[in-house]
Amino acid sequence: MLAVAAAVPILLAGVLFFLGVKATRISLWSLAAGIVMALIFFPTPWLVVGSSLAAFAPTIIEILLILYAGVLLSRIMSNTGAMASISGWLRSSAPSRRTGTLLVVFGIVPFAESVTGFGIGVTVGVPILRLIGHSVPRSTIFSLLGLLAVPWGALGPGTLLASELSGTSLVEVGIRSAVLSLPVMLGVALLVTFLLRHDGSVGRLFGGAVASSLLLWSGILGANILLGTPLAGVMGSLVPTAAHLLVYRWRGSLIAAGWVVARASLPYAVMAAGLLATRAVTSNGEPQLSLRAISSPATWLVVACLVAHFGPGQRWASDQPEARLGHRAVSAWRTWLPVGVVTFCFTVLGSVLAATGMGAELGTALAAMGGSYLAIAPAVNALAGFITGSNTAANAMLTATQTQVATELGSSVLQMVAATNVTASMATMAAPSRLLLAYELAVATPVGIPGGEGLGESSADPQASESAVNRWVLPRIFALLAIVSAILGLVTWLLF
């Protein structure tokens, strides 16, 4: 009976999702259900619950600020034309549609997503994919497949939350998540090869896709080890990007970046340099709140926003209201608010589950299944990632429970947390909100004429209806997600 009561908030989220309820309402109802179940079946002194929430408050604030600053940075970079300058340079340098697609999937989208999160990488990738000649369905799926570095999206708040709730080291979770992301990278490479099989030599395409995926994987893994988890996605995605640019230069298609592109990239450079410098200075200090604030990704994302708005060449004193920082901040707030509410509610719910023993009770019940549960645990988190559209929210819902299962079974908590983090992140590729965003952008962007000259009509694709695109895209992503979840489940079970 207690296990059923503990499962109510999680089961309610699933039921409401399939009934078509909006994510914000799902999170509110789930949190309310969790509080009610805790009051009735898991009475806990308010001092204990309050102490738990107070201890977790800095993490909650940091996560919410990271997400907001990521949205604001994306908004500023888009409004000032900085992102268009960077992506336009990369698009113009690509010698072919095939190589341009690989750069987008394994370089541009992972980089943009690692900096800003929220699926913003899709907004960068789709226009480039359309302009190099891809149809609406293909632009949609390729941009979504580029979300393969979500564990480090927005400098990794979801991975940070998983480490906090499980009591494991952020560095260890980041490294193990990177190791376990290899099937994701290779799976995306195989699917991209299949989808582009008619664009020239399959053998060369396969080699290029696998090489790009391995460069991204090794870059993220190396960055986790050398630079820490927050910057791993940002720095790791630069490895395949740099490799592609070297190939473009060798082929003679690389266009000189120039001052405009360098200026547009300045906020990213400042953010990365600031994070590296403060991490080096504070690494040997006591774990004080002030030191954490100085070296926090949230702090340096805010700095990057200020550089993007007030930096060289920006008309921040313009009389146009939309060019003012206050206007951009309010616009970003409106975009962030629904996701902020969802993240806050599920994060508080996760803390309540942990503090009241609800997560432990549910974990004990699942552990009764024995080692076989370990094989399906990644798929459980994948479902949560699909429902919430966020690895942060999925980890908030289930990390306490998954940690308890691993503890009860005597299995590795680190392996459990990392495997479920990876699958929850991958499942956001198919989340309805991400799919709709990619589709709307693909339809709104005119397709480039094959051969690279001019633009065709945005409505030229006869298969561009939303339902048709969904029917084409989702089975392919779900098949890849099922395979990766099965592989990581098998690995987790074998390590038991």
Side-chain angles (χ1 to χ4, degrees):
M1 181 62 183
L2 289 179
V4 174
V8 165
I10 298 171
L11 294 176
L12 179 62
V15 171
L16 292 178
F17 170 81
F18 287 108
L19 289 177
V21 178
K22 291 184 178 180
T24 50
R25 294 184 179 181
I26 291 175
S27 64
L28 289 168
W29 279 110
S30 295
L31 177 58
I35 293 173
V36 171
M37 292 298 105
L39 290 173
I40 297 175
F41 296 99
F42 298 87
T44 305
W46 284 108
L47 183 60
V48 174
V49 177
S51 298
S52 176
L53 290 173
F56 204 55
T59 300
I60 297 176
I61 294 171
E62 182 178 18
I63 288 170
L64 294 176
L65 184 54
I66 287 172
L67 296 177
Y68 173 73
V71 173
L72 178 58
L73 178 60
S74 174
R75 185 61 54 90
I76 296 173
M77 295 290 284
S78 297
N79 291 349
T80 60
M83 186 56 69
S85 298
I86 297 171
S87 60
W89 166 62
L90 293 171
R91 174 180 60 81
S92 300
S93 296
S96 67
R97 182 169 69 173
R98 180 177 63 187
T99 56
T101 303
L102 294 180
L103 174 59
V104 169
V105 173
F106 296 103
I108 296 175
V109 174
F111 176 84
E113 185 65 18
S114 295
V115 174
T116 60
F118 276 104
I120 299 299
V122 167
T123 69
V124 178
V126 167
I128 299 176
L129 291 164
R130 287 290 279 164
L131 291 173
I132 62 178
H134 281 298
S135 64
V136 168
R138 290 181 184 276
S139 296
T140 300
I141 194 170
F142 285 136
S143 63
L144 292 171
L145 290 175
L147 300 176
L148 71 179
V150 168
W152 302 273
L155 304 186
T159 302
L160 169 64
L161 181 63
S163 70
E164 292 279 349
L165 287 174
S166 61
T168 52
S169 162
L170 174 60
V171 174
E172 291 180 345
V173 175
I175 292 174
R176 183 65 65 92
S177 295
V179 171
L180 297 178
S181 291
L182 181 59
V184 180
M185 309 290 184
L186 292 177
V188 170
L190 292 174
L191 183 52
V192 169
T193 300
F194 175 77
L195 295 173
L196 290 176
R197 64 190 183 280
H198 299 303
D199 286 21
S201 169
V202 174
R204 293 180 62 183
L205 172 62
F206 174 74
V210 170
S212 297
S213 68
L214 291 177
L215 284 170
L216 178 60
W217 176 73
S218 60
I220 289 178
L221 177 59
N224 268 281
I225 296 172
L226 299 175
L227 305 176
T229 297
L231 272 179
V234 176
M235 305 306 291
S237 60
L238 292 179
V239 175
T241 301
H244 275 270
L245 294 179
L246 288 174
V247 172
Y248 296 170
R249 182 176 182 180
W250 175 67
R251 292 187 178 184
S253 64
L254 181 64
I255 298 173
W259 166 244
V260 174
V261 174
R263 184 178 63 194
S265 304
L266 182 61
Y268 299 139
V270 170
M271 181 194 69
L275 270 173
L276 289 175
T278 54
R279 290 295 172 94
V281 171
T282 61
S283 60
N284 295 323
E286 295 295 327
Q288 299 174 0
L289 190 59
S290 59
L291 294 179
R292 177 175 178 174
I294 292 172
S295 60
S296 170
T299 300
W300 288 99
L301 268 172
V302 171
V303 172
C305 291
L306 296 175
V307 172
H309 182 79
F310 294 108
Q314 303 305 332
R315 298 176 59 190
W316 53 269
S318 172
D319 292 334
Q320 299 178 353
E322 61 271 14
R324 296 172 182 169
L325 182 59
H327 182 277
R328 290 169 175 169
V330 172
S331 180
W333 170 270
R334 291 170 181 164
T335 301
W336 168 88
L337 188 58
V339 181
V341 170
V342 171
T343 302
F344 175 79
C345 289
F346 280 124
T347 303
V348 173
L349 174 62
S351 182
V352 170
L353 292 176
T356 61
M358 294 173 67
E361 182 66 32
L362 183 56
T364 299
L366 293 174
M369 296 175 59
S372 59
Y373 175 76
L374 299 174
I376 65 172
V380 173
N381 262 55
L383 179 60
F386 171 72
I387 290 173
T388 62
S390 164
N391 75 317
T392 304
N395 288 339
M397 287 174 64
L398 293 172
T399 295
T401 297
Q402 302 286 32
T403 299
Q404 183 65 26
V405 172
T407 302
E408 291 274 342
L409 294 175
S411 183
S412 169
V413 171
L414 177 61
Q415 172 65 25
M416 173 70 88
V417 171
T420 53
N421 181 37
V422 170
T423 52
S425 301
M426 185 181 177
T428 62
M429 291 180 181
S433 58
R434 305 285 173 90
L435 179 57
L436 179 61
L437 175 63
Y439 168 77
E440 293 289 353
L441 285 169
V443 171
T445 307
V447 64
I449 297 295
E453 299 296 333
L455 296 173
E457 297 295 328
S458 61
S459 59
D461 192 339
Q463 303 298 324
S465 71
E466 183 179 352
S467 59
V469 171
N470 289 348
R471 288 195 301 270
W472 189 83
V473 170
L474 285 176
R476 289 162 173 78
I477 295 182
F478 280 145
L480 179 59
L481 178 60
I483 292 171
V484 171
S485 296
I487 291 173
L488 295 187
L490 178 61
V491 171
T492 304
W493 176 69
L494 289 175
L495 291 176
F496 170 52

